[in-house]
Amino acid sequence: MAKTGPQQYPGASQAYRYQGVYGGDSMESNVVVWHTTEGTSLPSYGGGAEAPNFTAKPDFATMRLVWYQHFDFDTSSRALVNRAGGVETNTLNVCQVELVGTCDPAAHKKWSAAHLYTPELPDWVIRDLGAFAKWAHDQHGVPLTSGPPFRAYPSSYGATAVRMTGAQWLAFKGHCGHQHVPENDHGDPGAFPIAAVLAAAKGATPPSKEDNSMATTPDAVWKADVIPASAPPYANADYAKNRTWTASYALGSAVLTGRRTEAKVTALAKQLAAQTAAIKTLAGLVGKGVDTAAVVDAVEAAATTAVERTIQDAVIDVNINTPEA
């Protein structure tokens, strides 16, 4: 079958092409199957024996996906099981994409290295996946639609209600996951945000963390995850995989010098309360002929002024020692 349209995704690295080793079948792909590699690096795919058409690897420093192409868009790849006597899988007009990351909550909890977790993909990943889906639609006619819902892993593994029958698979066009393909048992890519990806492909701007968190209450703003990474709290062990922080963390916790504004304010407030109590006790012991209430008021006013100056100095100290954005 003749292939139509551009076969190489713009910007994709061709350094790991396997088509010269595993020629594959030519076809007109109208399906995109999404996978997760369940790792943090570009897989070897057994030298291409189990490779998809594309692999998308996150670059956390630049907040973009780096694409690697292993086969032409309209050439069959090799990441699906194809059992004898059933329907065709790899060769049934399907382009396959592996996202470097995990859908497994256990792996997500265990891994300390920066990685992608499909139920919590950041906006820049949604953006770049959407760009690929748009290209597949514009250049190859892959519908910007999906089929069965994407189940969270591990309930997506095996013979589930979302796995297509042979007849459903033969009739399907659009976007689905490994968890939906018949003759397979894998559950990736888990709770993949396909609606957001397709919305991005259609030109909609995916809701950002800023948009989702801009509530009007002071407490909500204080806890909103909107502080950018231009001057991040480097002491945070989670820095590599968390590129934004809440105001309460970034301003109240770690900064370059390890100063903690919020902690200082809290400690000073406690110190003021303790000193005030002591002063009141002392003033109460003053002898006759002295206005005890006046003594208490005067000392409290002086202590409050001193503490306010200390707090201002602490904030100025933090600002001076924090790099500009």
Side-chain angles (χ1 to χ4, degrees):
M1 178 183 294
K3 299 184 289 189
T4 60
Q7 294 300 307
Q8 295 184 6
Y9 184 51
S13 169
Q14 306 295 317
Y16 297 95
R17 283 184 66 89
Y18 302 116
Q19 197 163 318
V21 180
Y22 300 97
D25 293 348
S26 295
M27 54 195 182
E28 293 286 350
S29 296
N30 52 28
V31 174
V32 171
V33 174
W34 297 95
H35 302 252
T36 46
T37 63
E38 299 307 308
T40 60
S41 59
L42 185 69
S44 66
Y45 297 120
E50 299 174 350
N53 296 77
F54 298 90
T55 302
K57 184 177 182 294
D59 183 335
F60 291 97
T62 61
M63 293 193 219
R64 68 184 186 94
L65 292 177
V66 178
W67 292 84
Y68 297 88
Q69 184 162 5
H70 313 298
F71 296 90
D72 285 350
F73 185 88
D74 285 327
T75 293
S76 62
S77 58
R78 309 175 63 85
L80 294 170
V81 171
N82 192 178
R83 302 191 186 281
V87 295
E88 296 301 317
T89 57
N90 291 306
T91 59
L92 190 69
N93 301 341
V94 54
C95 173
Q96 302 184 57
V97 181
E98 291 266 7
L99 179 64
V100 175
T102 185
C103 66
D104 185 353
H108 173 56
K109 184 177 180 180
K110 179 175 63 176
W111 292 354
S112 59
H115 64 275
L116 294 180
Y117 177 47
T118 52
E120 300 175 3
L121 293 182
D123 293 342
W124 55 270
V125 174
I126 300 295
R127 175 199 67 202
D128 288 1
L129 295 177
F132 178 86
K134 183 179 188 307
W135 179 82
H137 172 265
D138 293 349
Q139 302 299 330
H140 295 279
V142 179
L144 293 175
T145 56
S146 61
F150 282 74
R151 274 194 179 182
Y153 187 87
S155 66
S156 57
Y157 185 87
T160 72
V162 300
R163 198 170 298 280
M164 297 184 210
T165 64
Q168 290 171 329
W169 172 246
L170 291 173
F172 182 76
K173 296 179 182 180
H175 294 256
C176 67
H178 195 173
Q179 62 177 270
H180 302 124
V181 181
E183 301 181 13
N184 287 248
D185 57 13
H186 285 201
D188 58 303
F192 185 73
I194 189 62
V197 171
L198 296 180
K202 294 172 184 176
T205 302
S208 67
K209 293 179 179 178
E210 291 86 347
D211 294 335
N212 290 336
S213 60
M214 288 307 291
T216 57
T217 64
D219 183 65
V221 174
W222 182 241
K223 295 177 180 178
D225 194 20
V226 298
I227 306 300
S230 53
Y234 293 96
N236 180 10
D238 211 27
Y239 161 64
K241 62 183 178 182
N242 184 20
R243 293 287 172 168
T244 59
W245 293 271
T246 63
S248 61
Y249 180 87
L251 301 179
S253 298
V255 291
L256 278 179
T257 58
R259 292 174 171 83
R260 293 173 178 267
T261 307
E262 186 178 32
K264 282 190 172 186
V265 172
T266 301
L268 287 169
K270 291 180 179 179
Q271 183 180 8
L272 172 60
Q275 289 177 344
T276 299
I279 291 168
K280 287 181 178 180
T281 301
L282 290 172
L285 299 176
V286 174
K288 295 180 179 180
V290 178
D291 187 345
T292 302
V295 172
V296 171
D297 290 342
V299 175
E300 283 186 340
T304 300
T305 300
V307 170
E308 288 177 349
R309 289 176 180 171
T310 303
I311 293 173
Q312 291 173 358
D313 290 343
V315 173
I316 292 172
D317 185 39
V318 169
N319 289 338
I320 289 174
N321 287 281
T322 302
E324 294 183 358

